[in-house]
């Protein structure tokens, strides 16, 4: 699927996959105008055994493409419509976590309308300062990879961060900052999920932003995370609870804050379609748990078939 929203198949798609370079402006590898369709039209769709939606962000991991595959009656890897949607929307996700009894940082849900309403930004900032204080994080509710997120430490930064986040999404979330270690757990399975060893991320930047996540050398991963055994078991159990709370399937990475000073464990978020890049924690945590990359992909395919009942 190119950046213009055109679905490619046949020789054009094969050329892109072979080159590893996306086409520009809906053009194929030869530079000719693409014959692709904005709405998918698949010839020979029944020849495809299972779909692996390696897509991030809106229209990739939010339940939309999962709904398309469901309508097509095609088996696919990962969560269905509900799990994907809940895992994508940070506000809905946190509501599901709260219902499941999982401890979280304090947060406020904010709408774009509140941010853009004439004369309402100052009262909104007053409420955020009173209920959360500084530092806090302003986030679009429905984007991934830390896109649109800002850490704010004063009123001026807050007043700039709210409209910026609102430009990405009509739903925003503002979270209280916390001094803690960032720990992650990989989950694999459907109705009987299992967990990996834990991983810990450390970095020198102000927070784990997009550049830090995807630039080699900007962050360090420690697997297994050096944590007390009791804390590790608690985080693994909470990861399964979170996985089931949003009705995830196949795979998820669950992120936590471990407040070492108090021993508190707070859930941050679940990612129902974690990355598989060279710096991605999900496959690395399973590798450290004794499951190779090839074995992991095979397991995910089998879980997709199981979920589809095929």
């Amino acid at each position: 699927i190119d950046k213009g929203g055109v679905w490619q198949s046949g020789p054009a798609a094969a050329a892109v996959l072979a080159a590893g370079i996306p086409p520009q402006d809906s053009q194929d590898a030869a530079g000719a105008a693409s014959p692709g369709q904005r709405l998918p039209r698949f010839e020979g769709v029944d020849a495809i055994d299972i779909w692996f939606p390696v897509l991030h962000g809106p229209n990739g991991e939010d339940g939309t493409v999962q709904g398309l595959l469901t309508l097509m009656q095609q088996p696919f890897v990962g969560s269905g419509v509900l799990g994907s949607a809940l895992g994508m929307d940070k506000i809905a996700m946190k509501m599901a976590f709260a219902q499941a009894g999982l401890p979280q940082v304090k947060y406020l849900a904010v709408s774009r309308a509140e941010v853009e309403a004439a004369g309402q930004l100052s009262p909104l900032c007053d409420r955020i300062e009173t209920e959360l204080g500084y530092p806090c994080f302003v986030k679009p509710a429905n984007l991934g990879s830390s896109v649109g997120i800002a850490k704010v430490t004063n009123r001026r930064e807050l007043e700039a961060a709210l409209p910026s986040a609102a430009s990405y999404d009509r739903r925003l979330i503002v979270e209280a900052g916390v001094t803690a270690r960032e720990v992650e757990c990989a989950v694999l399975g459907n109705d009987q999920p299992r967990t990996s060893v834990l991983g810990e991320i450390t970095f020198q930047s102000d927070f784990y932003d997009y550049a830090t996540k995807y630039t080699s050398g900007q962050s360090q991963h420690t697997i297994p995370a050096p944590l007390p055994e009791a804390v590790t078991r608690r985080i693994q159990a909470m990861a399964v609870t979170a996985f089931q709370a949003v009705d995830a399937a196949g795979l998820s990475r669950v992120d936590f804050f471990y407040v070492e000073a108090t021993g508190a464990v707070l859930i941050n978020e679940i990612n129902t379609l974690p990355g598989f890049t060279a710096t991605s924690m999900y496959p690395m945590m399973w590798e450290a748990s004794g499951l190779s990359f090839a074995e992991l992909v095979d397991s995910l395919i089998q879980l997709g078939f199981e979920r589809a009942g095929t």
Side-chain angles (χ1 to χ4, degrees), residues 97 102 181-189 193-201 208 221-225 227 229-244 248 250-258 265-275 280-289 296:
F97 288 165
L102 293 166
R181 294 165 63 180
E182 299 201 15
V183 182
E184 301 183 349
C185 181
V187 183
L188 178 68
R194 57 191 174 113
T195 55
S196 70
V197 301
L198 305 185
E200 181 173 8
I201 297 174
Y208 198 39
H221 306 149
T222 304
I223 305 171
L227 295 169
E229 182 61 29
V231 173
T232 295
R233 289 197 303 269
R234 191 180 357 151
I235 290 174
Q236 289 170 327
M238 290 172 66
V240 170
T241 299
F243 187 86
Q244 294 171 331
L251 72 164
S252 285
R253 191 197 70 239
V254 191
D255 303 343
F256 296 88
F257 297 124
Y258 172 50
V265 175
L266 306 171
I267 189 167
N268 180 21
E269 64 181 12
I270 189 171
N271 187 319
T272 59
L273 201 64
S280 295
M281 290 285 277
Y282 186 85
M284 289 194 292
M285 286 188 284
W286 280 117
E287 185 84 38
S289 302
L296 174 59

Side-chain angles (χ1 to χ4, degrees), residues 91-130:
I91 298 172
M93 175 202 305
K94 287 182 177 296
M95 293 172 70
F97 288 165
Q99 185 66 28
L102 293 166
Q104 308 175 72
V105 299
K106 292 181 65 177
Y107 72 92
L108 288 174
V110 179
S111 70
R112 176 187 289 161
E114 290 180 88
V115 174
E116 294 180 346
Q120 293 303 306
L121 190 56
S122 183
L124 175 59
C125 290
D126 289 342
R127 182 160 65 96
I128 292 170
E129 288 177 336
T130 299

Side-chain angles (χ1 to χ4, degrees), residues 161-223:
L162 287 167
S164 175
S167 71
Y168 291 96
D169 193 5
R170 49 178 288 275
R171 285 159 62 83
L172 320 177
I173 188 166
V174 186
E175 298 174 343
V178 60
T179 302
R181 294 165 63 180
E182 299 201 15
V183 182
E184 301 183 349
C185 181
V187 183
L188 178 68
N190 288 330
D191 294 332
Q192 297 179 313
R194 57 191 174 113
T195 55
S196 70
V197 301
L198 305 185
E200 181 173 8
I201 297 174
T202 55
F203 44 87
Q204 299 302 314
S205 57
D206 202 25
F207 70 98
Y208 198 39
D209 58 9
Y210 185 94
T212 304
K213 282 185 178 181
Y214 296 108
T215 304
S216 179
Q218 293 295 305
S219 61
Q220 295 75 45
H221 306 149
T222 304
I223 305 171

Side-chain angles (χ1 to χ4, degrees), residues 29 46 52 54 66 89 102 118 145 153 157 164 182 187 189 221 288 301:
D46 291 334
F52 199 139
V54 288
Q66 289 78 10
D89 188 289
L102 293 166
S145 299
T153 59
E157 293 174 348
S164 175
E182 299 201 15
V187 183
H221 306 149
I301 289 169

